[in-house]
Amino acid sequence: DPGSDFLLVDHVSADWMTGPGGRVVPVLTDDNFAVLKDYLDGALEYMAQNRPTRPAAWGFVSHIAEYTPRSDATAPPSDDALNALDRFLSYLEEKKDEGRVVFATVSTIADEVEEGR
């Protein structure tokens, strides 16, 4: 309800993590994050064209198992997967620098809570 003070955030479908043949990839790649970029770009375009009176909320949740070669997260994280995440966060930082988004990572939020902000 756009007129309310309540916001419900739900998971996006897992299709952004699928590879050829519809199989979930063992670790996330730049191709997976490209799907998230498309989702974000679509949301930003909608906001630019429609200029709603309330800001939009968009987010993604990622799990450590999505960065490790084994889904039980017992292996060390894949450098390629972590680098793909870093490139995606850099992309978000560019949008932040353009004044188009405001975002925070979990560690940023935790630091602010700890500091009492």
Side-chain angles (χ1 to χ4, degrees):
D1 176 6
S4 74
D5 294 326
F6 180 77
L7 171 68
L8 174 65
V9 178
D10 195 3
H11 275 269
V12 68
S13 68
D15 66 347
W16 74 278
M17 297 186 309
T18 58
R23 300 183 71 195
V24 174
V25 296
V27 295
L28 297 177
T29 67
D30 285 309
D31 290 341
N32 299 116
F33 285 107
V35 174
L36 287 183
K37 286 179 185 179
D38 288 345
Y39 287 164
L40 177 63
D41 288 344
L44 291 175
E45 184 63 27
Y46 174 86
M47 295 300 288
Q49 287 183 3
N50 295 287
R51 302 262 184 218
T53 58
R54 295 180 61 126
W58 183 90
F60 82 101
V61 175
S62 188
H63 307 279
I64 189 66
E66 295 159 358
Y67 300 90
T68 62
R70 294 194 300 263
S71 63
D72 62 2
T74 58
S78 159
D79 286 339
D80 290 340
L82 292 176
N83 290 333
L85 172 63
D86 189 53
R87 285 187 286 275
F88 179 69
L89 293 175
S90 293
Y91 171 79
L92 291 179
E93 192 70 34
E94 290 173 18
K95 299 300 180 191
K96 182 179 178 181
D97 291 346
E98 294 169 5
R100 299 192 70 193
V101 300
V102 175
F103 80 94
T105 62
V106 173
S107 60
T108 302
I109 296 167
D111 289 347
E112 291 197 16
V113 168
E114 187 175 299
E115 294 172 12
R117 287 190 252 165

